[in-house]
Amino acid sequence: MNLSKPPISSQNILMADLVCERSLVDLINRDKYINVFNPSVYITDEMIYLTFRAFGFKKTQPFHSYLIKYNPVSNHKEEIDISEFCIAYNINICADPKLLSLDNDVWITFNTGYSTSFNSIYLLKVSGAISKPYECLLDGRKIVEKNWAFFKQDNLLQAIYSISPYRKIYLENLDEKTKTFNFKFAKDVNINLAGQTKQKKLSVGTQLLKVGQSYCLIAHEKIKIFNKIIYFGRFVSINGDKITIHPGRMFHSYKSLFGSWKKYNNKLISCSYFSGLAYQADDFIISYGINDTAFAIKRIASKQLWH
């Protein structure tokens, strides 16, 4: 599914009138932030939260992660260098920031990137006063972890650890002294996979979004060609023990599939990297990076994805 020309819905409510593709994109000052990519948008009744990656203050690598908190009614905007914030907690890399909601609070999850030893995954509350980062621990995990999709159900913090194979983890205990969440693998669940004759090799992309009684996310489908990779998006909905992979690969444009001449990952041919999913006035707001060098934010009528 090509996302380059989606319809824009006009809704007769204040936030929907104030929040459009253009206004969200314009929150990021492209004179200040260079090489912006992989944005994640989350919208509450009063606030817009936007994270993204870009060059650091030297206008070159290493990349930093940034957060914008914006009230469209008062026009108040707060900008935070999350990477600099995390250095105070001895976290030197803050990669892949993604926004989510837990207990009516807005959080960011991020990881510490590639490592030859174990990297780390964190949760950081960003609504109100920003919290100390909480490290997420799990025995039996892989050496390098990038994306867990967090959610709360029956007052229990859980996460989708992987989509194929489908595995969940749940919070076993919280150590407030060290600010760590200790997770445990859930028992394997028999999953009814709909929409495909065989299970696709998918990985977690965006965080989970609850719409009605279902959860949804945009997963990443990685196609290998001569040991190099193309990333596509696949819209996935989860209802109980039924996972539906909806038809159509999602990508920015046909031109973007050829990649960028500038490569920050030599294993990459091209990448539409879906990093944010929000829902407002019957529209999905999808935010994604393009080949690690650019980004887009689109409003998509829900019926285009959810069918």
Side-chain angles (χ1 to χ4, degrees), residues 40-51 67-70 82 98-109 123-132 134 207 277-278:
S40 179
V41 173
Y42 193 84
I43 299 172
T44 69
D45 290 339
E46 298 178 349
M47 294 287 293
I48 298 170
Y49 296 82
L50 173 61
T51 66
L67 168 68
I68 293 175
K69 300 165 70 171
Y70 177 62
I82 295 296
K98 296 176 181 179
L99 288 157
L100 66 145
S101 177
L102 296 171
D103 285 339
N104 298 316
D105 284 317
V106 181
W107 295 68
I108 289 176
T109 179
L123 280 167
L124 175 68
K125 186 177 78 68
V126 296
S127 53
I130 299 181
S131 71
K132 178 180 178 180
Y134 287 77
Q207 287 294 297
L277 184 64

Side-chain angles (χ1 to χ4, degrees), residues 145-186:
E145 299 278 7
K146 295 293 185 71
N147 301 305
W148 300 347
F150 296 94
F151 65 104
K152 288 197 79 170
Q153 191 172 48
D154 300 325
N155 207 33
L156 178 65
L157 179 60
Q158 304 176 62
I160 295 177
Y161 175 78
S162 67
I163 296 177
S164 51
Y166 184 75
R167 300 193 73 184
K168 290 199 302 183
I169 56 179
Y170 66 92
L171 182 65
E172 190 173 32
N173 63 73
L174 164 62
D175 189 331
E176 278 288 4
K177 184 176 180 180
T178 60
K179 295 295 182 184
T180 54
F181 288 121
N182 295 281
F183 285 89
K184 184 175 182 179
F185 281 105

Side-chain angles (χ1 to χ4, degrees), residues 53-299:
R53 301 185 75 190
F55 285 153
F57 58 87
K58 293 183 179 180
K59 308 302 181 186
T60 185
Q61 290 179 277
F63 294 116
H64 279 216
S65 293
Y66 297 94
L67 168 68
I68 293 175
K69 300 165 70 171
Y70 177 62
N71 185 319
V73 177
S74 66
N75 201 35
H76 175 73
K77 182 166 73 169
E78 181 181 4
E79 302 180 49
I80 301 165
D81 186 329
I82 295 296
S83 295
E84 286 294 310
F85 175 84
C86 288
I87 286 173
Y89 298 98
N90 297 315
I91 302 169
N92 294 321
I93 299 176
C94 175
D96 305 322
K98 296 176 181 179
L99 288 157
L100 66 145
S101 177
L102 296 171
D103 285 339
N104 298 316
D105 284 317
V106 181
W107 295 68
I108 289 176
T109 179
F110 65 91
N111 64 74
T112 55
Y114 178 80
S115 175
T116 55
S117 57
F118 284 91
N119 74 341
S120 300
I121 285 184
Y122 287 89
L123 280 167
L124 175 68
K125 186 177 78 68
V126 296
S127 53
I130 299 181
S131 71
K132 178 180 178 180
Y134 287 77
E135 186 174 6
C136 300
L137 304 178
L138 175 67
D139 289 336
R141 48 156 281 185
K142 295 182 294 184
I143 291 177
V144 176
E145 299 278 7
K146 295 293 185 71
N147 301 305
W148 300 347
F150 296 94
F151 65 104
K152 288 197 79 170
Q153 191 172 48
D154 300 325
N155 207 33
L156 178 65
L157 179 60
Q158 304 176 62
I160 295 177
Y161 175 78
S162 67
I163 296 177
S164 51
Y166 184 75
R167 300 193 73 184
K168 290 199 302 183
I169 56 179
Y170 66 92
L171 182 65
E172 190 173 32
N173 63 73
L174 164 62
D175 189 331
E176 278 288 4
K177 184 176 180 180
T178 60
K179 295 295 182 184
T180 54
F181 288 121
N182 295 281
F183 285 89
K184 184 175 182 179
F185 281 105
K187 292 182 179 178
D188 290 338
V189 179
N190 291 323
I191 289 297
N192 177 14
L193 187 71
Q196 300 291 331
T197 56
K198 62 179 181 179
Q199 187 162 344
K200 296 288 184 182
K201 190 67 177 176
L202 303 179
S203 60
V204 173
T206 69
Q207 287 294 297
L208 279 168
L209 179 69
K210 190 172 184 181
V211 181
Q213 298 303 309
S214 298
Y215 290 92
C216 55
L217 58 78
I218 299 176
H220 288 135
E221 182 179 2
K222 302 172 188 177
I223 307 297
K224 280 194 174 183
I225 302 176
F226 300 118
N227 295 320
K228 292 185 180 288
I229 300 173
I230 299 178
Y231 278 71
F232 294 96
R234 296 297 298 263
F235 187 77
V236 176
S237 60
I238 304 169
N239 196 327
D241 61 355
K242 179 182 178 182
I243 297 181
T244 302
I245 303 172
H246 295 258
R249 289 190 175 119
M250 303 169 67
F251 56 95
H252 176 65
S253 68
Y254 286 104
K255 181 180 178 180
S256 72
L257 294 180
F258 292 96
S260 170
W261 65 269
K262 186 183 294 183
K263 298 286 187 185
Y264 297 110
N265 181 349
N266 290 328
K267 295 182 179 179
L268 192 67
I269 296 176
S270 66
C271 180
S272 293
Y273 186 90
F274 292 88
S275 39
L277 184 64
Y279 190 78
Q280 185 193 59
D282 207 33
D283 287 347
F284 286 106
I285 298 175
I286 298 172
S287 40
Y288 58 96
I290 307 163
N291 297 327
D292 293 339
T293 60
F295 74 100
I297 300 172
K298 303 292 185 180
R299 287 190 78 108

